[in-house]
Amino acid sequence: MAAVTMRLPVARKVVAPSGSRGEEKHLVAPGDTITTDTGYMRGHGTYVDEEKLIASVAGAVERVNKLVCVKALKTRYNGEVGDIVVGRITEVQQKRWKVETNSRLDSVLLLSSMNLPGGELRRRSAEDELAMRDYLQEGDLISAEVQSVFSDGAVSLHTRSLKYGKLGQGVLVQVSPSLVKRQKTHFHDLPCGASVILGNNGFIWIYPTTEQKDEEAGGFTTNLEPVPLSDREVISRLRNCIVALATQKMMLFDTSILYCYEASLSHQIKDILKPEVMEEIVLETRQRLLDLEG
């Protein structure tokens, strides 16, 4: 007979807001009036009724000069040029791959928008088109950058840098895209012995840090050597820490993930996902981040 874990109700701790001091977010629900000033322009997530600007989604109000929009707290990924994304190949088509990137429509990776194996630069030939499945096939995970966004919201990707390409051994974690903080770089080698790719689309890839970077492969060779147990334990702990931060609606970036990892070291890996442990380590992470800002 399987064991059943039971928890008694406990008083919830009062949690301080996780945003920076002096940077209070104006949160609205659908139907809330944002402003009655007619000088503002209507952006995404808003509509005008009786000369009042009203929110159509739940989220944070963002103002850029006179443009007012509401960024939804939970939404599909809306691509922006320059975003780093992690995606999964869903279909091989003529001179292109369809990629699932957590957006409303499938993204597109053109054969001409990628490095050839070995990094050689030349026009794509019919032989390259016939060998597309040798490069990437259905189910493969890739990291890429958003090259352009079409008028219907679909995203065009490129992997022309050697840091992008096919992903090898690791763990994929899916979170809400609104929880991934925008930074200058989304590739992080953490001091705990693993690396993460924080995709702007909410797909986070955790993998063991390699000793030397294989610059000759053009992003297509995958290391299939067995991963040591110590590395697998670090990756599993990082994965549970990211799930805990996402459950508690904390922003995900390299510092918050590392602080959460350090706070979880006193607990077993499987215990991190228990609600009371989750609250404890995220509260400690939030406090360290506030101390860092202060």
Side-chain angles (χ1 to χ4, degrees), residues 237-246 257 260-261 264 272 281:
R237 186 176 291 275
L238 274 174
R239 183 259 176 200
N240 285 358
C241 287
I242 289 170
V243 171
L245 289 169
I257 293 170
C260 188
Y261 177 88
S264 73
I272 296 172
I281 63 174

Side-chain angles (χ1 to χ4, degrees), residues 185-224:
T185 177
H186 285 253
F187 292 78
H188 301 287
D189 292 341
L190 299 177
C192 57
S195 303
V196 294
I197 303 174
L198 299 171
N200 287 112
N201 59 334
F203 285 8
I204 297 173
W205 181 249
I206 314 167
Y207 60 101
T209 305
T210 52
E211 293 290 329
Q212 70 271 1
K213 307 287 182 184
D214 190 359
E215 297 293 336
E216 300 298 318
F220 286 101
T221 60
T222 53
N223 180 13
L224 298 179

Side-chain angles (χ1 to χ4, degrees), residues 77 82-86 177-178 180-183 186 198-203:
Y77 169 63
D83 280 358
I84 306 299
V85 300
V86 174
S178 60
V180 179
K181 185 176 181 180
R182 290 184 181 276
Q183 294 179 286
H186 285 253
L198 299 171
N200 287 112
N201 59 334
F203 285 8

Side-chain angles (χ1 to χ4, degrees), residues 257-271:
I257 293 170
L258 189 59
Y259 282 177
C260 188
Y261 177 88
E262 291 170 357
S264 73
L265 289 174
S266 57
H267 300 280
Q268 287 191 7
I269 296 171
K270 64 181 181 180
D271 293 338

Side-chain angles (χ1 to χ4, degrees), residues 28-32 34 42-48 53-59 70 72:
V28 292
D32 285 357
I34 300 170
R42 181 174 67 85
H44 292 296
T46 65
Y47 65 94
V48 177
L53 194 62
I54 298 173
S56 61
V57 295
V70 178

Side-chain angles (χ1 to χ4, degrees), residues 20 42 49 53 78 82 95 109 149 153 160 193 197 220 235 286:
S20 306
R42 181 174 67 85
D49 186 30
L53 194 62
N78 294 313
K95 294 185 181 177
L109 174 64
V149 182
R160 288 203 190 92
I197 303 174
F220 286 101
I235 290 170
R286 186 179 274 122

